[in-house]
Amino acid sequence: MQTKPSSVFFILCSLNVATHVNCAWKYSFGKIYTYNYLTNISTMDRNEQSTAHLRLQAIVHLSPLITHQDSFIFKLQASSAMIEGARTPEQPLYLTSKYFSVLKWTSGHIDNVYMPQDTPIHVANLLKGIASLLQFNSTPQQIDTSGSCYAAYEDLGSTLKMSKSHCTGNKVVWTNKHKILGINVTSSHTSHYDFSDDIIQEVTSRESYDITLNIRSTAGFSVNSWQSLKFVSAADVPVMKAKNIDEILELLNKESSSMITKTSLSITKEESCSLSCKKPKKHLDKLQSFLGPENVSTVTAVNAFLELVTRWRLESKKQNLVDVLKDEKNSEIVLPLIDILAAVQTSTSHKALQEVMSFTDNEEDITRQERYLQAMAFSTHPIQSVLATLLVMYKTGTSNEKLMESIALTLGAVSHTYSMTDRNNSQSQIVEDIKSEIVSRLKNCTDEHCYLVQLRTLANAKFPDLIDVLSEHAQSNQPMVAKEALKAIERLPVNSIPNKTKKILVEIFSQHSKPQEVTVRSAALMVLLSSDPSLDDIQEVISQLADERDNELIVYVLDLMSDKAKNNRHFRNLIRSMLAQPNISSYHLWSRMGFSSAFSGLIAKTPDTSATYGMFMENSGMGIMRHSRSDFNLINNQQITPFLSFNLYTRGMDGLAGEEDPSQFEEDEDTSTTAGMSLDVLGVSLRPTVFFDGVADLMSSVWNAPDEPILALQGNILLHDHSQQIALQNGFLVDLNVLGGLSIDLSGSISISLWDRNSASLVNNSGAMVVQGETKIFNGPYEIGSKFTMESAATIEFSTVVSFYETPFDICLKMNHPAFILRNNIESYEHLGSHAARTKHKISKISHVNAASFPFHTRNSKQCKSMDTNDD
């Protein structure tokens, strides 16, 4: 029978088995009640391959000092304590008679706790954990060592069951805004009380925590804690003559070597300098060699990155971090050090970086400033002072256009993360100030570059309430401006895109109001398809294709829809319902052939997560690329998290090939021949790169193409970043930390042969990822814990070969990855006392992943086969 908390008081006083909870307990003066106390704690990995265990037992003495109706003053002491582990022999835990607690107990609730001031923290925590077992009351809110909890009661006949939930002692300090990179923690906590002879005969309490990574549920931990307090005997002792709590404390103060003070049942964390007592320079000395340029995108670099982030988060002195950055010995590793300090995300690290960075107008080399801004853009839990600094930099500005754009993009990215970390942050004054400043600049823009920068900033910021501003600029007469606005809309949550915006998207594609550049139309369609379009929206799009002049656009649109239908059941049903209409299912429409394509496929799949790729290529009728987009996503529980997006674009290239594409949008006469690249990582747009602007610049690029690959992105990024603290009822604390990092090196090269009339490009994306997790369960010098580490390093190569010997051009795309290794390490450890040896148990497992090539659409496969045959 489930009992409502509001009726528990009546039940506890009316049932024989529990009549004396707060009615007439018969704990007598002149008696000392002895109990056996036992607590077991264990933690293990999800596969139960390595376990750490702690067992603590003691004799507990409970002495009633004052009774008054439903109130008691108890003195609680513990003695003969012993502690042991799974691999650690039993040893004494010294609890002298000088350590005790005085409890004011009323109607099942402990109102106040008193202890000598010199009680060691771990002893105080242990006594509070035992005292919490004595607490139960009829209210739904209970406060004990677990914090403030919701309590529900159930009468089981001879026993009373209490279930606790939503305890404030279980607190997430910070976590990643991307759910797929987050942690899931489920818990249960129940206690059973056995009352007979009008005293507590036995109390047992069990609590468990199941901790898993969202991206991989087989990685994680379980924590289990069990307590038992069992009555043994009662014996006579001298009576303390006192009438109230003040007189009791006065008498006990005379006996105690330390003043007795009031405290609470909340447990206290005993700080240790095991990580923070060394200066940052000492930490760096042993890891410096792993941060060099030769170790970029290696597992060793990521491990060094994560270790220094962990240790330097405890550093409180700014000058110690400044000294590391300014040390000449570190000149070759300054860039990874900037990554580390940006990832630390404390006010100390932020101030240290600000002291050594200069953003003045006379800066010629902005490599360090750009790296700093790039690293800040991937903050996982930014503090407000960082946002305030970026806003000042954005307002102040700099004459260097590249640096100014990076400042703006970082401001947008950090604003979004800050808003996501706390519900109240999105409505904070600083976020409102940032919105106003960006919108104001956008309104005052007078050139295309200004519009592009502000819209890219809004794309990073992802402010849903600015959808109308973005919709307005999506209808711009400038194609580049319109595409950036559409990209910003695509970044917004689907539920924040209203129907009126969807109508605008349909109008842009259908050119109802005015002619549109073809890549603007396709961009509008891409946004529409990702925004849960209606049947009418899709019918309107397809009906426009019947009169469409641009064959490549038709091919691209149909490929795009077919690909979405392949992966989305709801959309597939929409398409099927429309194919019943003769004007839509015509052979003339669906049999079109061309160079444009849209295709997605699977890179890897686990029971929890899928990694996918998407290749979207828009070409002219001559086979010249208009726009190319490569997306790499993570999918978990139907949620899509963008991991990497690589965009290439060209304008005005058809004329150089000797022909004009009649279907192309009529651009301004001063529109130059242009090509460039943009890169998005974890939904954050970085500053785009322009390859060339104008014919002269193009020819210079052809004749002076660098022999070495061009670096597009290099750095260390935090992925997982979760910190959580759990207060167990027995007085022990759990520190849960999961930290994941990525070291990435993305570069590209291109070669053009005017003699052979062909070009070849290669994009090489190499990276190493490490995810580390630990649960440490501790109380003072006594600790046990579990760790796991997942490591891998891999490369994905994407190549394009174009033959322009004759028109239409021949194009072949290929993407593959070489073989690589996945390494998993599991470890459990015990350290029971400052003089005890630290024991550990470790298991390693290596998995081999074979090399693989990823398929594209059938037309590409045929084209590649034909070109390979001709080469032979």
Side-chain angles (χ1 to χ4, degrees):
M1 178 182 68
Q2 185 70 37
T3 306
K4 295 181 180 179
S6 59
S7 63
V8 169
F9 178 89
F10 173 78
I11 291 175
L12 297 183
C13 285
S14 61
L15 294 175
N16 269 347
V17 296
T19 51
H20 306 298
V21 169
N22 54 4
C23 302
W25 264 18
K26 293 186 178 178
Y27 282 104
S28 303
F29 282 118
K31 293 281 188 181
I32 185 168
Y33 295 83
T34 302
Y35 289 82
N36 281 336
Y37 175 74
L38 176 65
T39 184
N40 285 296
I41 314 171
S42 65
T43 177
M44 65 187 75
D45 64 281
R46 290 279 295 163
N47 297 315
E48 301 183 4
Q49 294 178 306
S50 187
T51 304
H53 179 257
L54 179 151
R55 183 177 189 271
L56 188 153
Q57 57 184 333
I59 303 297
V60 172
H61 306 286
L62 190 65
S63 305
L65 305 180
I66 292 179
T67 64
H68 178 70
Q69 295 181 351
D70 59 352
S71 296
F72 288 85
I73 303 295
F74 287 113
K75 181 182 179 182
L76 186 149
Q77 284 181 282
S79 63
S80 303
M82 302 294 291
I83 191 169
E84 64 178 312
R87 295 176 296 276
T88 307
E90 188 177 66
Q91 56 186 301
L93 190 157
Y94 297 102
L95 297 174
T96 66
S97 59
K98 63 182 283 189
Y99 303 135
F100 59 88
S101 63
V102 176
L103 313 174
K104 186 176 184 295
W105 187 98
T106 305
S107 300
H109 175 73
I110 295 177
D111 299 320
N112 296 315
V113 181
Y114 303 86
M115 288 185 184
Q117 278 184 332
D118 62 353
T119 305
I121 291 176
H122 68 278
V123 174
N125 288 341
L126 177 62
L127 293 174
K128 291 175 181 180
I130 298 171
S132 290
L133 290 175
L134 305 175
Q135 181 166 253
F136 43 87
N137 56 67
S138 58
T139 62
Q141 206 72 21
Q142 178 163 304
I143 300 175
D144 58 18
T145 46
S146 301
S148 177
C149 308
Y150 174 80
Y153 299 87
E154 187 177 356
D155 170 35
L156 300 179
S158 61
T159 60
L160 174 72
K161 177 183 177 182
M162 178 177 68
S163 300
K164 293 197 301 186
S165 61
H166 301 93
C167 295
T168 57
N170 183 352
K171 181 177 70 173
V172 175
V173 183
W174 61 69
T175 193
N176 197 303
K177 65 183 174 71
H178 297 288
K179 289 185 178 180
I180 199 169
L181 299 176
I183 310 298
N184 183 50
V185 180
T186 58
S187 62
S188 67
H189 191 161
T190 59
S191 299
H192 288 80
Y193 294 85
D194 180 7
F195 306 101
S196 59
D197 298 330
D198 300 327
I199 64 171
I200 295 176
Q201 290 292 325
E202 185 176 11
V203 185
T204 58
S205 178
R206 297 177 185 272
E207 56 183 313
S208 63
Y209 298 87
D210 196 34
I211 302 156
T212 58
L213 270 66
N214 292 338
I215 197 170
R216 187 178 181 184
S217 60
T218 56
F221 312 98
S222 64
V223 174
N224 295 282
S225 176
W226 181 79
Q227 282 179 285
S228 170
L229 187 67
K230 190 172 184 178
F231 177 68
V232 176
S233 63
D236 294 333
V237 293
V239 175
M240 181 177 287
K241 296 181 179 180
K243 297 179 180 178
N244 53 49
I245 185 66
D246 293 332
E247 292 183 7
I248 287 175
L249 295 179
E250 185 179 349
L251 291 173
L252 291 175
N253 272 323
K254 293 178 180 179
E255 301 174 4
S256 175
S257 59
S258 173
M259 179 66 68
I260 298 172
T261 58
K262 184 179 178 180
T263 181
S264 69
L265 283 177
S266 299
I267 54 181
T268 306
K269 183 175 181 179
E270 194 167 0
E271 297 296 338
S272 168
C273 81
S274 58
L275 291 178
S276 60
C277 55
K278 291 183 180 179
K279 287 188 176 181
K281 182 180 180 301
K282 293 292 184 181
H283 296 148
L284 182 60
D285 285 345
K286 68 172 185 175
L287 299 171
Q288 187 178 33
S289 61
F290 302 139
L291 298 173
E294 69 280 3
N295 285 316
V296 172
S297 71
T298 64
V299 166
T300 54
V302 187
N303 278 318
F305 169 72
L306 295 180
E307 181 172 347
L308 290 173
V309 168
T310 300
R311 293 180 180 275
W312 290 358
R313 279 180 169 175
L314 302 174
E315 178 57 53
S316 60
K317 295 182 179 179
K318 179 194 71 173
Q319 192 58 45
N320 288 341
L321 298 176
V322 171
D323 292 343
V324 168
L325 288 170
K326 290 184 175 181
D327 193 334
E328 286 296 323
K329 290 195 308 181
N330 301 328
S331 59
E332 291 188 1
I333 61 168
V334 166
L335 296 182
L337 288 179
I338 291 172
D339 293 339
I340 292 165
L341 287 176
V344 167
Q345 299 174 82
T346 62
S347 59
T348 304
S349 65
H350 174 58
K351 291 175 183 177
L353 284 167
Q354 284 293 304
E355 182 165 321
V356 299
M357 289 291 165
S358 174
F359 290 88
T360 57
D361 289 341
N362 57 1
E363 293 294 322
E364 295 182 4
D365 183 1
I366 60 171
T367 304
R368 293 185 179 185
Q369 289 85 344
E370 290 263 78
R371 187 66 168 256
Y372 163 72
L373 293 167
Q374 172 187 295
M376 294 298 295
F378 299 109
S379 300
T380 55
H381 56 277
I383 55 179
Q384 184 171 321
S385 59
V386 171
L387 205 54
T389 299
L390 288 169
L391 179 57
V392 170
M393 292 166 61
Y394 179 73
K395 288 181 176 180
T396 305
T398 173
S399 60
N400 189 308
E401 282 192 356
K402 291 182 178 180
L403 189 57
M404 189 62 224
E405 182 167 1
S406 294
I407 291 171
L409 294 175
T410 302
L411 175 66
V414 177
S415 298
H416 174 65
T417 307
Y418 180 77
S419 298
M420 294 291 288
T421 53
D422 189 292
R423 185 177 300 176
N424 296 324
N425 287 353
S426 61
Q427 299 174 349
S428 62
Q429 186 59 51
I430 190 166
V431 171
E432 292 299 322
D433 291 344
I434 290 169
K435 286 182 191 177
S436 299
E437 187 66 24
I438 298 172
V439 171
S440 175
R441 289 202 178 193
L442 187 60
K443 288 180 178 178
N444 295 320
C445 282
T446 57
D447 59 80
E448 183 181 77
H449 177 73
C450 175
Y451 282 113
L452 296 179
V453 171
Q454 310 315 320
L455 289 170
R456 288 168 187 155
T457 302
L458 289 177
N460 278 353
K462 305 179 184 67
F463 294 132
D465 53 337
L466 295 184
I467 181 67
D468 290 341
V469 174
L470 297 174
S471 298
E472 176 187 347
H473 287 85
Q475 302 170 77
S476 170
N477 293 324
Q478 298 173 284
M480 295 291 285
V481 172
K483 284 190 285 188
E484 287 298 341
L486 290 167
K487 181 178 179 180
I489 295 173
E490 189 179 13
R491 292 275 188 86
L492 298 176
V494 173
N495 58 10
S496 66
I497 301 178
N499 288 331
K500 65 177 182 179
T501 298
K502 294 179 186 180
K503 289 182 179 179
I504 292 173
L505 298 174
V506 172
E507 288 179 1
I508 292 172
F509 178 83
S510 303
Q511 305 183 98
H512 287 329
S513 302
K514 59 185 176 183
Q516 298 283 358
E517 200 262 357
V518 65
T519 57
V520 174
R521 297 175 64 193
S522 59
L525 177 62
M526 181 78 85
V527 179
L528 180 66
L529 293 180
S530 64
S531 306
D532 193 20
S534 67
L535 178 62
D536 291 341
D537 293 334
I538 302 304
Q539 283 182 329
E540 175 70 18
V541 169
I542 294 183
S543 66
Q544 293 297 316
L545 298 182
D547 301 321
E548 180 58 51
R549 295 173 56 204
D550 191 330
N551 185 70
E552 287 297 323
L553 179 62
I554 296 174
V555 172
Y556 182 71
V557 169
L558 296 179
D559 256 18
L560 204 59
M561 290 191 172
S562 298
D563 186 69
K564 184 173 179 64
K566 178 180 68 176
N567 300 307
N568 186 295
R569 179 182 298 178
H570 174 68
F571 190 78
R572 184 162 59 248
N573 291 335
L574 286 181
I575 296 296
R576 283 176 177 171
S577 66
M578 287 189 296
L579 289 176
Q581 304 174 33
N583 63 319
I584 291 180
S585 61
S586 68
Y587 175 81
H588 174 72
L589 179 63
W590 291 89
S591 63
R592 300 292 185 95
M593 300 294 289
F595 295 97
S596 300
S597 62
F599 184 88
S600 63
L602 190 66
I603 296 177
K605 184 176 178 61
T606 70
D608 308 290
T609 306
S610 297
T612 65
Y613 67 95
M615 305 299 296
F616 309 95
M617 296 197 67
E618 299 175 67
N619 295 329
S620 70
M622 300 171 58
I624 295 177
M625 184 194 74
R626 294 169 176 166
H627 181 256
S628 171
R629 170 170 162 176
S630 305
D631 290 344
F632 299 88
N633 297 323
L634 298 174
I635 303 175
N636 175 276
N637 292 330
Q638 306 304 314
Q639 291 185 331
I640 300 176
T641 301
F643 191 79
L644 179 68
S645 184
F646 192 81
N647 288 265
L648 297 171
Y649 70 89
T650 65
R651 295 175 70 190
M653 294 292 289
D654 288 301
L656 294 179
E659 296 184 38
E660 291 293 340
D661 187 345
S663 64
Q664 268 282 34
F665 172 72
E666 188 176 326
E667 298 180 292
D668 295 335
E669 292 182 2
D670 60 351
T671 298
S672 61
T673 301
T674 307
M677 174 192 73
S678 65
L679 188 65
D680 302 342
V681 181
L682 289 171
V684 174
S685 294
L686 304 179
R687 182 174 57 79
T689 300
V690 177
F691 295 146
F692 57 83
D693 189 3
V695 176
D697 203 8
L698 167 61
M699 297 310 297
S700 175
S701 300
V702 172
W703 293 113
N704 301 300
D707 296 328
E708 296 296 322
I710 299 173
L711 185 65
L713 173 65
Q714 189 178 87
N716 303 284
I717 301 170
L718 272 186
L719 298 177
H720 298 79
D721 191 10
H722 182 92
S723 179
Q724 187 168 349
Q725 295 175 352
I726 302 171
L728 300 179
Q729 183 171 286
N730 59 13
F732 279 74
L733 283 162
V734 180
D735 265 357
L736 166 61
N737 290 284
V738 178
L739 204 61
L742 174 70
S743 179
I744 190 171
D745 187 356
L746 180 61
S747 58
S749 61
I750 185 169
S751 61
I752 302 174
S753 173
L754 297 180
W755 181 263
D756 294 328
R757 297 188 180 182
N758 63 28
S759 68
S761 63
L762 175 66
V763 176
N764 188 291
N765 183 14
S766 62
M769 185 173 76
V770 176
V771 182
Q772 302 172 347
E774 179 181 11
T775 52
K776 182 174 75 170
I777 306 169
F778 63 100
N779 183 19
Y782 308 100
E783 67 178 50
I784 61 173
S786 292
K787 297 180 179 181
F788 73 80
T789 304
M790 299 185 295
E791 303 174 342
S792 67
T795 299
I796 291 182
E797 298 173 342
F798 177 64
S799 64
T800 306
V801 178
V802 180
S803 173
F804 46 87
Y805 188 81
E806 59 184 6
T807 57
F809 299 162
D810 293 332
I811 305 172
C812 173
L813 310 176
K814 293 181 180 179
M815 187 171 74
N816 61 77
H817 72 71
F820 62 95
I821 292 174
L822 296 172
R823 188 185 304 273
N824 291 274
N825 299 318
I826 298 169
E827 178 185 323
S828 61
Y829 62 88
E830 300 171 359
H831 187 207
L832 304 185
S834 55
H835 301 293
R838 184 184 180 94
T839 63
K840 63 181 181 180
H841 177 244
K842 188 173 182 179
I843 299 173
S844 296
K845 180 182 178 181
I846 293 177
S847 303
H848 294 270
V849 179
N850 296 326
S853 296
F854 302 103
F856 294 131
H857 54 89
T858 306
R859 297 190 299 277
N860 181 72
S861 300
K862 290 179 179 179
Q863 191 77 70
C864 290
K865 184 177 181 180
S866 174
M867 293 175 70
D868 291 342
T869 301
N870 292 336
D871 289 342
D872 294 339

